[in-house]
Amino acid sequence: MTPHVTFRQLQVFVAVARDGTVIAAADHLKLSQSTISQSLSDLERHLGVELFERLGRRLQLNSMGSYLLPRAERLLEGMADFVAVAEDPESQLQGTLNISASATTGTYLLPPLAGYFSNQNPRVDLRLRLRNTGEVITDLLRFDADLGLIEGQCHESRLKSETWCEDQLVIVCSPQHPLARKEWLDDADIKAAGWILREPGSGTREVFEAAVLHHVERLQVRMELSQHEAIKQAVKAGLGLGCLSHRSVEGELERGELVALSSGLKLTRIFSLVWHPERYRSPLWQAFKVFLIDNHGNPPKPGRPQ
């Protein structure tokens, strides 16, 4: 069985060894003489050995005490270093942060933000897992992620969430699609069109269906794909209409590879930060969350103070 030795007993042992008397050790540690004597007696009793020769009021280390003193000093130095690191704000911004992010946030928003934060804090290891919104929630509930970023709102009552920033979905088609030249999609167009959509469980799919089902009862879903790039390629090939974050199709719209279609659908949504209230939120967690909120989904400009 391991002897029950306390931090205070080690402090007393080292102080008495250095100062030579109970009176001097008590003055050094700002403790009473009785506390010093009791702690020293308890230490020797727990260890089952005597550490000092009693020479009147003076206490002189015996051979066992001399052998154990440097080890006790190293233990105290290690504890002092432990406390100093915990109290140093700069040292707190280090370690690993596991982030589970839905496809749009994890592909188009988070990488530049995470890169900037990591460059500013080189001792930080940000680990990103791309999931759909339902899987992000599962990761958080299983304590497999420290922080989640999802599309839309969090409906899981066991988790906490906060609005991060806004996003705009856009309906897109190939320039060769019959609807490409229409100024406005009406309900008949939406109902008759073939759709290439994200899989059930994704935030993009949830927002799109919530908006469109106020206009038509049922969509003609031709394909369900889990990746934005796969959806874009299918839409470019003329296989149907897609609905994606504007952030994910900016390049294709600028190059004329895709066409944005106007409609009466409400396709504005929010991105949310989500976390488990029972999981430890370290200073690193707090700092990264504040960084994300402050930057509203956009990485800082060069030279902009943080």
Side-chain angles (χ1 to χ4, degrees), residues 138-255:
T138 299
D139 283 348
L140 292 168
L141 291 174
R142 291 178 176 173
F143 282 36
D144 290 334
D146 298 296
L147 183 65
L149 290 84
I150 65 171
E151 301 153 28
Q153 296 180 330
C154 176
H155 306 299
E156 172 54 64
S157 61
R158 289 171 290 178
L159 300 177
K160 296 289 187 181
S161 65
E162 181 176 339
T163 297
W164 179 26
C165 59
E166 286 192 349
D167 185 48
Q168 182 68 42
L169 295 180
V170 59
I171 296 173
V172 293
C173 70
S174 163
Q176 288 75 43
H177 194 281
L179 294 175
R181 291 173 179 79
K182 285 207 68 171
E183 294 183 359
W184 189 266
L185 291 183
D186 56 31
D187 291 355
D189 295 325
I190 294 171
K191 183 177 181 179
W195 290 89
I196 315 296
L197 298 177
R198 286 289 308 279
E199 79 285 4
S202 78
T204 300
R205 177 73 173 265
E206 180 184 356
V207 172
F208 176 67
E209 288 188 339
V212 77
L213 292 180
H214 289 294
H215 296 259
V216 299
E217 292 184 1
R218 188 171 183 177
L219 293 170
Q220 296 190 46
V221 180
R222 289 183 176 172
M223 300 177 70
E224 294 178 338
L225 301 171
S226 61
Q227 299 294 328
H228 289 84
E229 291 303 317
I231 293 175
K232 287 191 285 187
Q233 293 303 320
V235 172
K236 287 180 187 179
L239 300 180
L241 306 187
C243 183
L244 294 167
S245 168
H246 188 272
R247 299 170 189 260
S248 70
V249 294
E250 283 181 307
E252 287 81 2
L253 293 175
E254 290 176 359
R255 294 189 295 270

Side-chain angles (χ1 to χ4, degrees), residues 1 10 14 20 34 40 88 102 116 138 151 159 191 202-203 214 236 262-263 266 282 287 290-291 298 306:
M1 181 179 294
L10 290 178
V14 172
S34 61
L40 195 56
D88 180 7
S102 58
Y116 184 93
T138 299
E151 301 153 28
L159 300 177
K191 183 177 181 179
S202 78
H214 289 294
K236 287 180 187 179
S262 299
S263 71
K266 184 180 179 181
S282 66
V290 168
F291 172 79
N298 297 302
Q306 286 298 300

Side-chain angles (χ1 to χ4, degrees), residues 51-108:
L51 303 172
F52 292 91
E53 300 287 350
R54 271 69 176 177
L55 305 174
R57 292 187 175 183
R58 291 198 61 80
L59 296 176
Q60 181 175 316
L61 287 172
N62 61 21
S63 59
M64 178 58 71
S66 298
Y67 181 73
L68 292 178
L69 178 60
R71 289 163 174 78
E73 290 173 330
R74 285 197 295 271
L75 287 171
L76 292 181
E77 289 171 359
M79 180 61 75
D81 180 66
F82 174 83
V83 173
V85 168
E87 294 177 343
D88 180 7
E90 290 189 5
S91 69
Q92 293 173 4
L93 292 184
Q94 62 180 325
T96 300
L97 201 62
N98 293 300
I99 304 165
S100 189
S102 58
T104 302
T105 59
T107 303
Y108 299 100

